[in-house]
Amino acid sequence: MRRLRADYPDAECALRYNSPVQLLVATILSAQCTDERVNLVTARLFADCPTAEDLAGLPLERLERYVQSTGFFRNKAKNIKACCTTLVEEYDGQPPRTLEELVPLAGVGRKTANVVLGVAYGIAAGVVVDTHVGRLSRRTGLTTQEDPVRVERDLMELLPRSRWIDFSHQMIYHGRQVCDARRPKCDTCSFRRFCPRVGVAD
DNA sequence: ATCCCGAGGG
DNA sequence: CCCTCTGGAT
């Protein structure tokens, strides 16, 4: 934990947004897609449609065209429209502040809900477990679980709540820059001494 | 377990 | 060609 904090003291969410709703939409778009591409898409989308009302009112075909290059674009467009419609109708256009209220929204699971709560509202309701956090947690032996919900439970037991939010951002940075999925750079990794699987495949 | 789905790297 | 990218719904 100390090394992680020392290596990435300024790690933060790489998605660009100007409001909690925009962060929620950007996070939905980030599924199986690089944050860089999400930012490319949201730059245009949020310039034209900054609020939940704007996004909910956008015809589905137009929304699909905006988000097309992020992949899964039909699902993502449909979910964003439905999600923003619910926000307008039930939450005055603002994402709610609890997991219980966020997860039922279209296209929102625990990962997305934890990002919005932690990053937009500073609420540590859980640990964000995405593909990077899951992979690194398994490689370093913090968990043996595959299911993201079980990985999250293990991490919540290991980490003090005060570190839940920063931990994920730091793991994601390290996962992108060093411990990537295909060819991890174990020879230059600063976690070499702690890692039980240096030189081991997957 | 399977489907959704485009873009970029090796 | 194959794999991966801040997943979620059925």
Side-chain angles (χ1 to χ4, degrees), chain A residues 1 4 37 42 52 75 94 107 146 151 162 171 199:
Chain A
M1 296 306 120
L4 204 52
R37 177 147 299 278
T42 54
N75 280 339
Q94 293 289 331
E146 285 286 340
V151 174
S162 61
M171 291 285 268

Side-chain angles (χ1 to χ4, degrees), chain A residues 45-103:
Chain A
L45 180 60
F46 295 158
D48 298 344
C49 302
T51 71
E53 287 84 352
D54 299 327
L55 293 162
L58 202 54
L60 192 54
E61 298 74 23
R62 285 190 56 198
L63 188 49
E64 285 181 352
R65 242 172 283 136
Y66 273 106
V67 305
Q68 191 262 352
S69 70
T70 65
F72 299 162
F73 67 92
R74 292 189 186 88
N75 280 339
K76 287 176 180 177
K78 182 166 44 129
N79 286 334
I80 288 168
K81 187 173 172 67
C83 178
C84 287
T85 299
T86 304
L87 291 183
V88 170
E89 290 175 349
E90 298 184 23
Y91 295 103
D92 199 30
Q94 293 289 331
R97 295 171 179 265
T98 66
L99 270 177
E100 291 70 24
E101 293 173 295
L102 281 167
V103 169

Side-chain angles (χ1 to χ4, degrees), chain A residues 21-37:
Chain A
V21 185
Q22 292 188 4
L23 176 60
L24 175 55
V25 171
T27 308
I28 290 174
L29 290 175
S30 73
Q32 301 292 295
C33 180
T34 62
D35 56 323
E36 186 182 0
R37 177 147 299 278

